[in-house]
Structures are given as structure tokens and as C-alpha cells.
Amino acid sequence: MSTYLIGDVHGCFAELRALLAQVNFDVQQDTLWLTGDLVARGSASLAVLRYLRALGSGVRIVLGNHDLHLLAVHAGISRNKPKDHLTELLNAHDIDELINWLRRQPLLQIDHALKLIMVHAGISPQWDIKTAQSCAREVEAVLSSDSYPLFLNAMYSDTPNSWDPERSGLARLRFSTNVLTRMRYCFPHGQLDMLCKDKPENAPFPLAPWFELPRLIDADYAVAFGHWASLQGTGTPTGIYALDTGCCWGGQLTLLRWEDKRYFTQPAEHIPV
């Protein structure tokens, strides 16, 4: 029985299956964790969602910003961009079933036995575990409700950029969503910067990657995340695992076997046009 963590799939279905074949993944015995951004940019988002949905309890997922964008496109709130290669998925006969499954997936996974946290983008330096879990559950509750289009229509904003435990409503949900699915950099006191996407060595002062700031999360817990392909899995402190290695950009898909911390990779089969 093994626990496998895989970075952003982005519709790269052939690479996903090839990577799982490398480790002889067995859904009856093993557990597959995925850092989100299951869809978009790669050409086989439909196959990815169908496959993962069929795995049932053998897979643990967190939603990424591209997954939320798919929900918004399906709801008629955002535009279907050709570069995302979502048309086949949106036209599928089972699209409504897939969307309803997707919007009921969590934004945060915590396994207290493994001392492991998984999120798409990161954990705010201003949050402890209890706060992170509470904020994630609030967003998840809205996404799984009938009023989810109202939230999706309001999520496209970079503000507020600082945590306030007294904040409520859509502003609170938007901050939590930006932390969990979009964050890369923070200011020294933990405020979000939603503009910089450069590599850490090129980031302007005083910005720092969220994982370099002092954290309130218990140090006994490791954090695995995706979202930041330009890191190429490097440059993070002990106990922080960056797993997005840019498969959809012609890089590779990365898998971490948790029990022995061994990495496996699968090169991209096709570089996107």
C-alpha cells in the first residue's frame, strides 16, 4: 500500500497513465493524491476527469485555479479560451455529471496520520491548520451548493489581500480561494501579491515565496503543492514539496511516493502549440 502524490496534470492524460504504470499503481491498495489543475492546456482534460472520477475513493484531489475556471466557463460566467483545449470536455455527453463531481472536490487535503497537507497553491502564513481547514471548508460548501455560480462570478479579483478573521461573505471566500488556488508571493507580514509570477531569484523586494515566511502551520506537517511550474520542484524548505514541473508546457509530470520520498517522472509526449 503506497501513497502517490502527483503534480498538476493539466489534461495530460497519456503522461498520467504512463507515470502511474511506472509505479504499478493499484487503486485497490494505493492512494493517489493530485495537486489540482486537472484540466486545461493539455489536450485530454475529458479523459483525465473521467478516469479520476472512476477511481472513486482511491483518489484524493484538491481543486486548482484552472479547475475553478472550468466551473466558471461551464456556468457561462467566463470565456472558453482556445488555448485551454476545453471544448471537447464542454461538449461531452457527461459534462454535467463531471462538473457536479468536480465542484464537490475539496480545496485542502489533510492526513493527520501521515502529517501531510496538500493544497494547490499554498497556505497563508497568517493561517494555522485549523484556520486553513475552516476557510477551505467554507469555499467548498459554496461550490457544492446551488448558489455556486454567484461565488464563481465574484471570485475573479485580487482583493482583499490580507487575512482578517472578522471578514465575512464573498470577500472572505475570495481571499481564501486566492490563497489556496492562486498564491505565489507574499509581503513580509503575509499579505498576498497576486501579480508577480517570476522565479524567486527575480522577484522584486520585499516579496518572498509564501513558503519562505514564518508559518503558523505545525512544523510536524509537510505541505505538498502544485501551481508553480517554474520552480521545477526545487528551492523549497524541508517539508515543503513543489510538484508541478510543467508537463503541459513540454516539461514532465512528477510523482512522489510518500513512504520513501522517491520521485518518478514522465516526460511530456507532446509540446503544446
Side-chain angles (χ1 to χ4, degrees), residues 253-266:
L253 196 60
T254 293
L255 177 151
L256 171 63
R257 186 165 60 200
W258 186 247
E259 284 70 23
D260 60 2
K261 305 301 185 291
R262 181 180 173 187
Y263 286 92
F264 299 81
T265 61
Q266 179 65 39

Side-chain angles (χ1 to χ4, degrees), residues 18-267:
L19 188 55
L20 291 175
Q22 285 190 43
V23 295
N24 298 312
F25 172 70
D26 182 352
V27 71
Q28 302 301 321
Q29 300 185 51
D30 305 323
T31 304
L32 176 62
W33 293 50
L34 293 160
T35 64
D37 277 2
L38 309 174
V39 302
R41 305 305 171 100
S43 62
S45 293
L46 175 59
V48 168
L49 291 191
R50 284 175 173 169
Y51 174 71
L52 296 178
R53 181 171 177 246
L55 292 181
S57 61
V59 64
R60 296 181 66 167
I61 291 165
V62 293
L63 297 178
N65 54 302
H66 282 274
D67 305 316
L68 295 180
H69 181 67
L70 168 63
L71 298 181
V73 171
H74 179 261
I77 292 164
S78 191
R79 183 171 58 89
N80 178 19
K81 303 172 184 176
K83 66 181 179 180
D84 284 334
H85 302 288
L86 294 175
T87 301
E88 180 192 23
L89 171 58
L90 293 166
N91 291 336
H93 67 86
D94 53 348
I95 180 59
D96 291 340
E97 297 172 17
L98 293 170
I99 289 293
N100 286 332
W101 170 79
L102 189 66
R103 67 185 180 90
R104 288 174 170 82
Q105 300 307 309
L107 277 76
L108 183 72
Q109 293 275 7
I110 301 178
D111 189 310
H112 294 290
L114 296 177
K115 298 291 186 182
L116 174 61
I117 299 170
M118 184 176 69
V119 65
H120 179 62
I123 305 291
S124 169
Q126 300 171 322
W127 286 352
D128 57 18
I129 288 181
K130 183 177 179 180
T131 303
Q133 192 164 32
S134 175
C135 289
R137 298 298 172 258
E138 290 167 3
V139 179
E140 293 161 12
V142 174
L143 284 173
S144 63
S145 74
D146 291 340
S147 60
Y148 77 98
L150 176 65
F151 162 68
L152 294 173
N153 192 46
M155 75 175 177
Y156 290 101
S157 175
D158 295 342
T159 58
N161 76 332
S162 184
W163 170 241
D164 179 355
E166 301 302 317
R167 185 179 290 118
S168 61
L170 288 172
R172 180 183 176 99
L173 294 171
R174 188 163 56 238
F175 176 81
S176 299
T177 303
N178 283 343
V179 167
L180 296 166
T181 70
R182 295 181 59 212
M183 174 179 66
R184 290 186 178 90
Y185 288 100
C186 294
F187 290 95
H189 295 293
Q191 302 96 326
L192 307 183
D193 174 83
M194 303 306 298
L195 298 177
C196 184
K197 297 183 180 180
D198 290 338
K199 294 180 180 180
E201 59 267 28
N202 298 327
F205 180 83
L207 297 183
W210 63 269
F211 49 75
E212 289 187 0
L213 294 177
R215 68 179 191 172
L216 298 178
I217 296 289
D218 190 327
D220 290 341
Y221 282 77
V223 179
F225 72 103
H227 185 56
W228 203 338
S230 64
L231 291 177
Q232 287 296 296
T234 65
T236 57
T238 300
I240 306 291
Y241 297 87
L243 296 177
D244 182 8
T245 46
C247 186
C248 69
W249 305 112
Q252 58 190 10
L253 196 60
T254 293
L255 177 151
L256 171 63
R257 186 165 60 200
W258 186 247
E259 284 70 23
D260 60 2
K261 305 301 185 291
R262 181 180 173 187
Y263 286 92
F264 299 81
T265 61
Q266 179 65 39

